[in-house]
Amino acid sequence: MDLLSALSLGELALSFSRVPLFPVFDLSYFIVSILYLKYEPGAVELSRRHPVASWLCAMLHCFGSYILADLLLGEPLIDYFSNNSSVLLASAVWYLIFFCPLDLFYKCVSFLPVKLIFVAMKEVVRVRKIAVGIHHAHHHYHHGWFIMIATGWVKGSGVALMSNLEQLLRGVWKPETNEFLHMSFPTKASLYGAILFTLQQTRWLPVSKASLIFIFTMFMVSCKVFLTATHSHNSPFDVLEGYICPVLFGAAWGSDHHHDSHGASHGMGPGAQHSVLPAKSKEELSEGSRKKKTKKAD
């Protein structure tokens, strides 16, 4: 007997897991995804000058997770684009957000109370996609735990893992913004969720899929709505990772190095800091004098 059944919420979880996503929840997913695209620097100018490139970026934001999952499972990358209803709905949202007169549609959907509703509904889609992705991968690889986790992860992370490719379509190249180097909360949560759903799929987690979908969706909705409402970029996992990561992986060299150099600069007095600068200037002068001597010799 799982926890939700003991609390008489099993029927609620089962009904919740059967709620169809199209068109209402998918519409919310497309709206929030393309809103984030419009927030990118230069996205509005790109839509005016290169509307095809802007549309492709919007489709990546909406369907990037399906493309990555198909790539992992060896299926046609454009398979999901055969879903005409979803592509037309996403295209309509893209057009309204970027080209609606007076930006009326954008102003309505970006109004914070309305946006929070769409954000909550997007998380419902995210969790369902993770569960479906793992179920799909399980059909291909019954004992491939890592494949199931990877498929569920990319299904939930969306275009975040393809951010560099999406930037290239906009004519931008920022390799330092790689999502693998700086994971956001949705990317981390999708990874942890993929692990949980994989354990459930392989019967190592004694809970029904409907119950897990309900619990994880409530967690994602609560966290993402709070982070969006407070305009916070922090992750609820930061505190836990702050304790676990140093134990398992040790302290990050970059942070220690930065901390040491930062502390050293604060630890040195003004005289010590000024003493470093003349040393550098002397080295430069000696280097210049050597160059002059070489020129004279030539």
Side-chain angles (χ1 to χ4, degrees), residues 223-239:
C223 293
K224 200 66 173 73
V225 168
F226 175 78
L227 293 176
T228 304
T230 57
H231 303 286
S232 174
H233 296 285
N234 296 325
S235 170
F237 304 120
D238 288 344
V239 177

Side-chain angles (χ1 to χ4, degrees), residues 11-64:
E11 291 297 327
L12 175 62
L14 185 60
S15 301
F16 178 78
S17 65
R18 293 176 177 174
V19 173
L21 298 180
F22 187 85
V24 178
F25 287 92
D26 282 343
L27 175 63
S28 302
Y29 186 92
F30 297 154
I31 288 174
V32 177
S33 298
I34 299 177
L35 270 180
Y36 289 152
L37 171 61
K38 190 168 184 177
Y39 293 156
E40 293 291 335
V44 176
E45 291 77 8
L46 179 72
S47 65
R48 301 295 190 272
R49 297 178 180 178
H50 308 286
V52 175
S54 177
W55 178 81
L56 286 174
C57 291
M59 295 304 103
L60 275 184
H61 273 262
C62 294
F63 308 118

Side-chain angles (χ1 to χ4, degrees), residues 197-264:
F197 279 100
T198 299
L199 292 175
Q200 189 281 326
Q201 185 70 46
T202 53
R203 303 185 184 280
W204 281 87
L205 189 62
V207 63
S208 67
K209 181 178 290 187
S211 300
L212 185 57
I213 289 175
F214 182 81
I215 294 173
F216 197 68
T217 300
M218 294 302 105
F219 168 75
M220 290 296 296
V221 168
S222 302
C223 293
K224 200 66 173 73
V225 168
F226 175 78
L227 293 176
T228 304
T230 57
H231 303 286
S232 174
H233 296 285
N234 296 325
S235 170
F237 304 120
D238 288 344
V239 177
L240 184 61
E241 291 172 352
Y243 286 103
I244 295 178
C245 290
V247 175
L248 295 179
F249 308 110
W253 179 86
S255 60
D256 286 346
H257 179 74
H258 174 74
H259 178 73
D260 291 341
S261 62
H262 185 68

Side-chain angles (χ1 to χ4, degrees), residues 47-242:
S47 65
R48 301 295 190 272
R49 297 178 180 178
H50 308 286
V52 175
S54 177
W55 178 81
L56 286 174
C57 291
M59 295 304 103
L60 275 184
H61 273 262
C62 294
F63 308 118
S65 58
Y66 298 100
I67 295 174
L68 278 179
D70 289 339
L71 178 64
L72 288 179
L73 297 178
E75 298 179 352
L77 300 184
I78 60 173
D79 184 61
Y80 193 81
F81 285 88
S82 62
N83 191 338
N84 298 326
S85 301
S86 295
V87 175
L88 289 175
L89 183 61
S91 300
V93 171
W94 165 76
Y95 186 85
L96 289 174
I97 286 179
F98 280 95
F99 300 103
C100 182
L102 303 178
D103 265 349
L104 290 178
F105 186 79
Y106 168 75
K107 292 175 181 178
C108 290
V109 298
S110 61
F111 181 54
L112 187 57
V114 178
K115 181 182 176 181
L116 292 179
I117 297 174
F118 291 139
V119 167
M121 298 174 74
K122 179 183 179 180
E123 296 310 308
V124 175
V125 178
R126 187 195 304 277
V127 176
R128 196 78 65 85
K129 286 166 66 176
I130 295 174
V132 172
I134 289 173
H135 181 75
H136 188 191
H138 183 257
H139 277 288
H140 291 272
Y141 305 93
H142 292 286
H143 304 289
W145 283 37
F146 291 103
I147 297 176
M148 286 186 275
I149 291 173
T151 305
W153 185 30
V154 301
K155 274 291 190 84
S157 300
V159 75
L161 299 177
M162 301 176 65
S163 58
N164 293 119
L165 175 60
E166 186 269 334
Q167 289 170 0
L168 283 177
L169 289 176
R170 292 189 283 112
V172 178
W173 175 241
K174 295 181 179 179
E176 67 277 5
T177 61
N178 192 326
E179 187 71 13
F180 290 98
L181 301 178
H182 308 283
M183 288 191 186
S184 59
F185 165 70
T187 303
K188 290 182 180 180
S190 297
L191 176 58
Y192 299 147
I195 295 173
L196 290 176
F197 279 100
T198 299
L199 292 175
Q200 189 281 326
Q201 185 70 46
T202 53
R203 303 185 184 280
W204 281 87
L205 189 62
V207 63
S208 67
K209 181 178 290 187
S211 300
L212 185 57
I213 289 175
F214 182 81
I215 294 173
F216 197 68
T217 300
M218 294 302 105
F219 168 75
M220 290 296 296
V221 168
S222 302
C223 293
K224 200 66 173 73
V225 168
F226 175 78
L227 293 176
T228 304
T230 57
H231 303 286
S232 174
H233 296 285
N234 296 325
S235 170
F237 304 120
D238 288 344
V239 177
L240 184 61
E241 291 172 352

